[in-house]
């Protein structure tokens, strides 16, 4: 006695290609070595030192104050020009922006003040109505 079992009809397996991954590499920075000479390095005796051209720096201008007998150093022209330019720009900017923002500031202050006044008025009305209601309750209690 043998049992005949039906065999399933399965599709063929998918052909999946195998992936080959390259081994990762890193770019390591490389620097040229820097040669630092020793502190006691001296030129050989045969070598003569080159003569260097020296340019004398002019003495900075000074302002002599006669009464106190003090000499004050004067700043360079570039420093003075920079300081004056900065000061002029700052004053001009302040003046222009103040004239532009003054009307806006006034309008905003008026609007805020009107809202604050309205809020104060409502608060007073509430307080008055609360005191009136308390007084009417007290008078009704006294009448009973």
């Amino acid at each position: 006695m043998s049992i005949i079992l039906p065999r399933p009809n399965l599709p063929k397996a998918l052909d999946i290609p195998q992936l080959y991954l390259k081994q990762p590499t890193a770019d390591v920075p490389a620097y040229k070595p820097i040669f630092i000479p020793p502190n006691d390095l001296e030129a050989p005796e045969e070598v003569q030192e080159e003569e260097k051209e020296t340019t004398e720096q002019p003495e900075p201008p000074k302002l002599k104050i006669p009464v106190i007998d003090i000499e004050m150093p004067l700043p360079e022209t570039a420093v003075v020009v920079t300081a004056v330019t900065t000061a002029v720009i700052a004053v001009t900017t302040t003046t222009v922006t103040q004239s532009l923002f003054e009307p806006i500031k006034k309008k905003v202050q008026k609007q805020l003040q009107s809202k604050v006044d309205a809020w104060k008025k409502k608060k007073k009305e509430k307080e008055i109505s609360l005191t009136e209601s308390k007084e009417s309750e007290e008078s009704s209690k006294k009448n009973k």
Side-chain angles (χ1 to χ4, degrees):
M1 203 160 155
S2 66
I3 301 175
I4 300 173
L5 293 173
R7 293 195 173 213
N9 188 8
L10 296 175
K12 289 186 178 182
L14 294 175
D15 182 31
I16 300 175
Q18 190 167 358
L19 297 174
Y20 294 100
L21 299 175
K22 293 180 184 177
Q23 189 171 4
T25 59
D27 291 332
V28 179
Y31 300 101
K32 293 180 183 177
I34 300 173
F35 176 73
I36 301 175
N39 290 339
D40 58 347
L41 184 66
E42 293 181 6
E45 292 178 6
E46 307 103 28
V47 178
Q48 292 181 355
E49 223 177 281
E50 292 181 12
E51 291 184 24
K52 296 180 182 177
E53 293 182 23
T54 57
T55 56
E56 292 184 19
Q57 295 276 339
E59 194 172 313
K62 294 183 180 181
L63 176 66
K64 186 173 181 180
I65 303 173
V67 176
I68 310 173
D69 286 336
I70 295 178
E71 286 189 5
M72 299 264 316
L74 291 176
E76 294 179 18
T77 309
V79 174
V80 173
V81 168
T82 304
V84 168
T85 306
T86 305
V88 168
I89 290 173
V91 169
T92 306
T93 305
T94 306
T95 306
V96 168
T97 54
Q98 186 176 7
S99 64
L100 290 174
F101 286 112
E102 193 67 31
I104 296 171
K105 178 183 161 189
K106 286 182 181 179
K107 287 181 182 180
V108 169
Q109 279 181 335
K110 282 182 183 179
Q111 288 179 352
L112 289 176
Q113 190 62 43
S114 65
K115 289 187 180 191
V116 167
D117 291 341
W119 176 76
K120 284 181 180 180
K121 188 176 179 182
K122 277 187 177 181
K123 189 174 177 184
K124 281 185 181 180
E125 288 174 0
K126 271 189 176 180
E127 287 175 358
I128 292 171
S129 65
L130 284 175
T131 54
E132 287 177 356
S133 63
K134 284 181 183 179
E135 288 175 1
S136 64
E137 286 177 12
E138 288 176 5
S139 63
S140 64
K141 284 181 183 179
K142 285 181 182 178
N143 291 339
K144 289 184 181 181

